């Protein structure tokens, strides 16, 4: 194993679509990272929500759920679904 110090966790999930391309959700730091070389390097692709889950439907479509909790949440009004149709680009 090697450690990539450019990413900060804890992570909400890591999923790969093949042996090269994968995504990682940094939960506490509200970021989505992408690798195209099997995890050797990771690039930040998006930030701004507290991400909790990632689903990859096919070679292009990625769905990520997020939950931003205000001080007094009202039911599930702050759940959001983020979608990418170009592999996070």
């Amino acid at each position: 194993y090697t450690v990539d110090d450019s990413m900060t966790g804890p992570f909400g999930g890591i999923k790969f679509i093949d042996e090269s391309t994968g995504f990682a959700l940094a939960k506490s730091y509200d970021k989505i990272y992408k690798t195209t070389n099997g995890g050797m390097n990771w690039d930040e692709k998006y930030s701004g929500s507290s991400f909790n889950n990632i689903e990859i439907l096919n070679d292009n479509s990625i769905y990520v759920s997020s939950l931003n909790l205000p001080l007094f949440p009202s039911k599930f009004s702050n759940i959001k679904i983020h979608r990418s149709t170009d592999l996070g680009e």
Side-chain angles (χ1 to χ4, degrees), residues 68-74 77-78:
N68 294 323
L69 291 175
L71 185 57
F72 301 103
S74 62
S77 62
N78 293 308

Side-chain angles (χ1 to χ4, degrees), residues 66-86:
S66 67
L67 177 60
N68 294 323
L69 291 175
L71 185 57
F72 301 103
S74 62
K75 302 240 181 209
F76 299 104
S77 62
N78 293 308
I79 293 175
K80 295 181 181 175
I81 304 293
H82 305 265
R83 179 180 75 161
S84 171
T85 57
D86 61 359

Side-chain angles (χ1 to χ4, degrees), residues 2-74:
T2 58
V3 176
D4 185 344
D5 291 331
S6 67
M7 297 170 48
T8 309
F11 294 97
I14 295 176
K15 292 208 176 168
F16 279 77
I17 61 170
D18 56 33
E19 37 183 75
S20 297
T21 305
F23 297 86
L25 305 179
K27 234 173 151 171
S28 297
Y29 296 93
D30 306 335
K31 296 179 183 191
I32 299 175
Y33 292 95
K34 180 181 179 182
T35 182
T36 55
N37 59 7
M40 295 297 292
N41 302 97
W42 294 86
D43 296 314
E44 182 183 322
K45 288 297 178 179
Y46 186 82
S47 65
S49 290
S50 182
F51 301 112
N52 17 0
N53 192 27
I54 183 168
E55 292 296 329
I56 300 171
L57 297 184
N58 56 44
D59 289 347
N60 293 314
S61 296
I62 301 163
Y63 290 84
V64 178
S65 63
S66 67
L67 177 60
N68 294 323
L69 291 175
L71 185 57
F72 301 103
S74 62

